[in-house]
Amino acid sequence: MEPKRIKSALISVFYKDGLEDIVRALDAKGVTIYSTGGTYKFIKDLGVDAVTVESLTGYPSILGGRVKTLHPKVFGGILSRRNMFSDGEQLNEYEIPEIDLVIVDLYPFEQTVASGASEQDIIEKIDIGGISLIRAAAKNFADVVIVPSVDHYAEFLKLYTEQEGCLTLEQRHRFAAYAFAVSSHYDSAIFNHFNETENVEAFRQSSNKCTTLRYGENPHQKGCFYGDLEACFDKLNGKEISYNNLGDIDAACNLIDDFDQTAVAILKHNNACGMACRNTLLDAWKDALAGDPVSAFGGIIITNRKVTKEVAEEMHKIFFEVCIAPDYDDDALTILRGKKNRIILRRKEFKMSDVVFRNVLNGILVQDKDSVVPKAEELTESVTSTKVTPQMAADMAFATILVKHTKSNAIVLAKNGQLLASGTGQTSRVDALRQAIAKAQSFGFDLNGAVMASDAFFPFPDCVEIAHNAGITGVVHPGGSIHDQDSIDYCEKNKMAMVITGKRHFKH
């Protein structure tokens, strides 16, 4: 099919950025331009002739601008099928001009919501005419070109200029696909805003930003990220962020955000292999690394404090993939940039998602994020006669946060604000504990006086017995087993403190 020449255009946009070059290109080809309100004024101020939609329809803009383009003389000209004689007859009968190009940029609904505007202002930014124009022009892509947002101005202008005012059917089809992406995203954003208070049982998530990754979890798998990484981080150094990097980065951010104290965490495969809270960042780094210097190789480092030169010098001594921090000294950056592939990220203020998604079978699982963050003052009541000391309560809170972020079945051993070891992703809680004890002992940690946190209850007293024999004196877990009393009795007999939180923290 031959490319179709554009003879007429309807332009109605919110943002005018980048529009001037298109208007001048259309004018140079003698295209008749129809427009509305502020867009019409913008075009006229460029010295380009345009026809108001009001003069086309015979009706003024009404209801404070809510109704401008919703008229048969507009939509008839867009939706008419050029190859159907009867459509052409009706256009002639009602004096409706054909419209070959529609350029729309919708009211900024999402930006208005994000700005904290009033509900009335938000409602007024629900575009009606624009979204209708987009859908109509996209439906009739066989004859009409739709440019549905400012993001598509440049591509359209390039094609229009290179092809002397014509676009092919394949190109019009692609712009129609863009259009339905824009309209579906827009409607999803509106629905999700309304559903914040309504809880309609429907799932809508949408992203207009896609980053193609080198590959997925493995080289033979394709991968991409839908989201806006630039809103989350400034990338200051390093190679392209990978699929696996992103999983670890997400896990690291979720973990560190649960801590107010100066903290450093080192993660591998979404689990912390080292973590410590200290008065200084340098001490936090050293003690986090001591937790498992072997697993730290190739890991992800995250902190909630500015990285200084002295800390960077210590970090630089090992190989790691990614470093994440709220900021860096200039000297620290110079040191960390010593490895050209090392990814260095500076966090921005952004909101992490409050919900968690997971695809299963032919659908999606959705749940609230596990946002429970235990505090030391909440963990002072032992169910045994052995009292919880202030340090033990602080360690229980520290360990419980860590176990919340560790793959189930999970056990975390901690002492004095330091992760000694964890047992992760085991099918048996006993195996998870034995793994943690063996790991802690292999790095020379003294478990006497340490605490043990479990992500779920103990069905039998075997875990507390193993922990006691290793020197552990404090236990924190959610409870809920019909055999809870057996574990309590063992701790009572052996002078172990036990705190039951009532909050399970499975992570699969």
Side-chain angles (χ1 to χ4, degrees):
M1 186 178 292
E2 289 294 319
K4 281 185 175 286
R5 181 169 299 281
I6 294 170
K7 300 176 183 177
S8 59
L10 171 62
I11 306 176
S12 180
V13 302
F14 187 85
Y15 290 118
K16 315 300 189 294
D17 298 345
L19 186 62
E20 179 178 349
D21 289 343
I22 292 178
V23 170
R24 294 197 183 282
L26 294 173
D27 183 55
K29 294 290 185 185
V31 173
T32 301
I33 299 175
Y34 301 93
S35 193
T36 62
T39 308
Y40 173 79
K41 181 179 183 303
F42 174 84
I43 294 170
K44 293 295 288 183
D45 287 347
L46 295 176
V48 174
D49 285 336
V51 179
T52 64
V53 166
E54 291 86 345
S55 65
L56 170 64
T57 64
Y59 280 85
S61 172
I62 62 173
L63 306 181
R66 281 189 164 196
V67 180
K68 294 191 286 277
T69 58
L70 297 169
H71 193 281
K73 281 203 169 183
V74 173
F75 283 87
I78 296 169
L79 287 165
S80 66
R81 292 156 290 191
R82 309 316 197 241
N83 63 349
M84 290 192 65
F85 181 74
S86 58
D87 281 10
E89 281 189 322
Q90 287 187 308
L91 292 189
N92 291 331
E93 179 181 357
Y94 297 107
E95 298 181 337
I96 300 173
E98 291 180 348
I99 297 174
D100 304 320
L101 167 67
V102 175
I103 302 176
V104 176
D105 188 61
L106 298 172
Y107 291 162
F109 178 83
E110 288 179 283
Q111 295 91 323
T112 304
V113 172
S115 73
S118 69
E119 187 65 13
Q120 184 56 43
D121 287 341
I122 290 171
I123 295 303
E124 289 305 316
K125 287 299 185 289
I126 298 176
D127 206 312
I128 302 300
I131 204 79
S132 301
L133 290 170
I134 286 173
R135 291 178 62 83
K139 176 176 180 176
N140 201 27
F141 71 89
D143 297 300
V144 178
V145 180
I146 173 63
V147 181
S149 82
V150 65
D151 295 335
H152 305 106
Y153 288 180
E155 181 178 351
F156 167 77
L157 181 60
K158 182 175 184 293
L159 292 172
Y160 183 83
T161 303
E162 290 177 351
Q163 296 170 188
E164 295 295 326
C166 302
L167 266 72
T168 66
L169 177 63
E170 292 78 11
Q171 290 161 351
R172 295 194 299 276
H173 187 276
R174 183 166 71 251
F175 277 94
Y178 294 153
F180 287 118
V182 168
S183 65
S184 62
H185 177 82
Y186 197 77
D187 286 340
S188 292
I190 296 168
F191 165 73
N192 286 327
H193 173 71
F194 274 75
N195 208 37
E196 287 178 357
T197 56
E198 297 301 331
N199 197 30
V200 175
E201 293 183 350
F203 176 79
R204 300 286 185 276
Q205 285 294 318
S206 176
S207 174
N208 282 331
K209 290 183 177 290
C210 175
T211 301
T212 301
L213 306 174
R214 295 196 305 272
Y215 50 80
E217 203 161 9
N218 299 292
H220 62 275
Q221 295 170 271
K222 293 181 180 179
C224 59
F225 172 72
Y226 289 95
D228 187 0
L229 283 176
E230 291 182 0
C232 305
F233 306 102
D234 291 319
K235 186 167 177 283
L236 306 177
N237 190 70
K239 62 184 178 181
E240 181 183 333
I241 298 173
S242 72
Y243 181 100
N244 292 326
N245 289 155
L246 284 170
D248 284 330
I249 289 167
D250 176 71
C253 291
N254 278 299
L255 172 60
I256 206 74
D257 285 350
D258 279 352
F259 290 90
D260 297 323
Q261 314 99 301
T262 298
V264 173
I266 306 170
L267 288 86
K268 285 286 285 289
H269 300 291
N270 298 184
N271 295 304
C273 58
M275 184 163 192
C277 292
R278 292 291 182 263
N279 291 327
T280 70
L281 186 60
L282 182 60
D283 287 341
W285 162 252
K286 289 179 177 179
D287 287 345
L289 180 61
D292 188 347
V294 175
S295 294
F297 182 87
I300 304 288
I301 299 169
I302 189 165
T303 180
N304 53 5
R305 298 292 187 269
K306 186 176 185 178
V307 176
T308 61
K309 178 184 177 182
E310 62 176 353
V311 175
E313 286 174 339
E314 293 300 315
M315 288 179 172
H316 190 60
K317 293 176 182 179
I318 72 166
F319 168 72
F320 59 90
E321 290 267 348
V322 182
C323 184
I324 310 163
D327 206 352
Y328 303 83
D329 284 345
D330 290 342
D331 290 341
L333 270 180
T334 300
I335 293 165
L336 295 175
R337 283 171 169 158
K339 299 289 185 182
K340 67 176 183 179
N341 287 332
R342 178 182 288 157
I343 298 167
I344 304 174
L345 301 176
R346 179 168 55 210
R347 287 190 74 177
K348 297 180 180 179
E349 290 291 332
F350 72 98
K351 187 178 184 297
M352 300 281 283
S353 177
D354 292 327
V355 292
V356 179
F357 309 109
R358 183 177 180 178
N359 64 305
V360 296
L361 303 175
N362 63 351
I364 303 290
L365 280 174
V366 182
Q367 67 172 346
D368 295 335
K369 182 179 178 179
D370 186 352
S371 57
V372 174
V373 182
K375 303 296 183 184
E377 56 268 26
E378 301 168 349
L379 304 175
T380 58
E381 296 297 322
S382 177
V383 294
T384 70
S385 59
T386 300
K387 293 187 177 183
V388 177
T389 66
Q391 183 59 58
M392 184 181 288
D395 285 339
M396 285 182 171
F398 175 85
T400 302
I401 292 173
L402 273 165
V403 86
K404 182 185 88 169
H405 292 279
T406 303
K407 187 174 177 63
S408 299
N409 286 317
I411 293 288
V412 164
L413 307 181
K415 184 178 177 181
N416 297 328
Q418 181 183 22
L419 171 61
L420 304 184
S422 59
T424 65
Q426 299 301 303
T427 53
S428 160
R429 197 160 304 281
V430 171
D431 287 346
L433 174 57
R434 285 177 173 154
Q435 180 191 60
I437 291 171
K439 194 170 186 179
Q441 291 173 342
S442 73
F443 290 114
F445 286 113
D446 179 6
L447 292 177
N448 287 296
V451 303
M452 169 178 70
S454 175
D455 61 341
F457 63 63
F458 301 111
F460 305 104
D462 45 6
C463 278
V464 292
E465 181 178 356
I466 294 168
H468 170 253
N469 291 334
I472 292 163
T473 56
V475 178
V476 57
H477 70 118
S481 168
I482 60 174
H483 298 297
D484 273 352
Q485 194 61 47
D486 293 344
S487 294
I488 295 170
D489 290 345
Y490 183 91
C491 289
E492 176 66 38
K493 179 180 177 181
N494 291 279
K495 297 181 172 52
M496 299 173 72
M498 176 183 280
V499 174
I500 295 178
T501 65
K503 299 289 185 183
R504 191 179 73 185
H505 294 293
F506 273 162
K507 183 185 178 188
H508 294 108

